[in-house]
Amino acid sequence: RPPRPPAPSSAMEAATASRAPTALPMWVHVLHFCVSVVLLVVASALSYLRAGRRTPNSVGFYHPHTSDGGGGERVLWCAVREVMRANPSAKCVVYSGDGVAASVLATRARERFGVILPRAFDVVALRRRALADPGLYPCFTMAFQALGSAILVAEAMHAFRPAVFFDTVGHAFGYPVARVAGCRVAAYVHYPTVSSDMIKRVKARRVVYNNAESTAKSSARTWAKTLYYRALARVYGACGRCAAVVMCNSSWTEAHVRALWGGTASASATATATPRVVYPPVDVSALEKLPIEGRGVSRRRAGFE
């Protein structure tokens, strides 16, 4: 019978135990899983946003509600007209959720606002427009609306990637999405989504349209809502700084946007633009037809002269 091998000594057992792999703590596995999920989501988002070819010398006008007939729509069609005049070879598209043809929208622009477009444009349909409507969210309306607008901009970028993304409604939370898609962002802001005035009213516990009486009477709710507004304002400012060109409809809006978004005088594609006041276009054709005879007599009768 072969001799039995000698029993391992305690020193050999200790050396073998020291060379054995040790189990990783649970938090390392959790962290690895979370990072993997984040990387997968980012890669999927980039693939979705850049699925189509980026169209050079093109401008995409983002205006989901193109049939409201208000001043914001006038700004849209005047912007489209001026871009067509300034760059006759540029391809212009309008992101709309109304489900109507471009010819119908051009007719509305001419009949409602007197804006005659020099040439035809294309329409990119937005099927998820309801995600950006505030009526869909009974609570945390602005936060969910911000998320919905970012998803809507992602849908727009997936359908058509322009060289310039021109927002005329103020969905600033979608600007980072357009930047990631490779677009330069231009914005016309009618009213800031979050302003310091809103935060002050909530902090002062005033009962207004954005601050219910139950919240105003509660110190805890007031503190929580103030914190919520401040966090939203920081995110809003970070998203707004993705715009390379920023225009505001008034000095009041410009002051609030400048306070939240910042801005420099640099004209580079990556620098935050300084907000500029560009007053909304006004149709004065009807006023031009008024007779000027007898105006001096009317002013004297009214006591102005």
Side-chain angles (χ1 to χ4, degrees):
R1 298 175 61 183
R4 299 176 63 182
S9 62
S10 58
M12 293 177 61
E13 292 179 351
T16 304
S18 64
R19 290 195 299 268
T22 57
L24 295 175
M26 180 57 68
W27 69 267
V28 175
H29 294 284
V30 174
L31 179 62
H32 179 268
F33 174 77
C34 294
V35 171
S36 301
V37 171
V38 170
L39 292 177
L40 179 62
V41 171
V42 171
S44 301
L46 288 175
S47 177
Y48 178 81
L49 292 175
R50 302 198 174 206
R53 185 179 65 88
R54 181 173 178 269
T55 305
N57 193 26
S58 61
V59 182
F61 295 89
Y62 177 80
H63 203 99
H65 295 272
T66 51
S67 300
D68 289 344
E73 192 178 343
R74 177 185 291 278
V75 170
L76 164 68
W77 298 123
C78 287
V80 174
R81 181 188 61 190
E82 297 308 314
V83 168
M84 288 181 173
R85 289 176 177 176
N87 190 351
S89 62
K91 178 180 178 60
C92 295
V93 303
V94 175
Y95 299 104
S96 171
D98 291 331
V100 296
S103 58
V104 176
L105 293 179
T107 302
R108 289 178 181 175
R110 182 181 69 253
E111 294 178 350
R112 292 185 181 182
F113 307 108
V115 178
I116 301 175
L117 302 178
R119 62 179 189 275
F121 60 93
D122 294 330
V123 172
V124 176
L126 298 177
R127 296 176 176 83
R128 299 178 177 87
R129 186 180 69 178
L131 293 177
D133 291 339
L136 189 64
Y137 313 107
C139 60
F140 296 101
T141 304
M142 288 195 298
F144 283 114
Q145 189 180 10
L147 180 60
S149 64
I151 296 175
L152 193 60
V153 172
E155 180 190 1
M157 294 297 98
H158 180 72
F160 180 82
R161 278 207 301 149
V164 177
F165 175 79
F166 198 153
D167 170 42
T168 56
V169 293
H171 285 182
F173 294 95
Y175 297 172
V177 177
R179 281 288 299 273
V180 170
C183 304
R184 194 178 186 193
V185 179
Y188 188 91
V189 185
H190 298 272
Y191 193 88
T193 303
V194 187
S195 66
S196 57
D197 292 345
M198 295 170 58
I199 300 176
K200 290 178 181 177
R201 285 194 293 264
V202 173
K203 191 175 181 180
R205 304 174 70 171
R206 291 173 53 190
V207 180
V208 288
Y209 68 94
N210 66 324
N211 196 38
E213 184 178 359
S214 58
T215 301
K217 290 183 177 181
S218 171
S219 300
R221 289 186 178 183
T222 298
W223 176 85
K225 190 166 187 176
T226 303
L227 185 65
Y228 162 64
Y229 271 15
R230 285 177 176 173
L232 199 64
R234 286 187 175 273
V235 177
Y236 177 65
C239 293
R241 284 189 283 273
C242 292
V245 178
V246 180
M247 294 163 282
C248 303
N249 69 341
S250 66
S251 57
W252 183 90
T253 302
E254 184 264 345
H256 284 275
V257 168
R258 186 187 295 269
L260 291 169
W261 295 10
T264 63
S266 174
S268 65
T270 58
T272 303
T274 297
R276 305 293 184 185
V277 177
V278 178
Y279 293 109
V282 179
D283 184 14
V284 296
S285 57
L287 299 177
E288 292 176 346
K289 297 178 182 180
L290 295 177
I292 60 175
E293 293 80 7
R295 288 189 179 181
V297 177
S298 299
R299 288 176 61 85
R300 284 192 294 271
R301 289 177 179 177
F304 292 109
E305 293 181 359

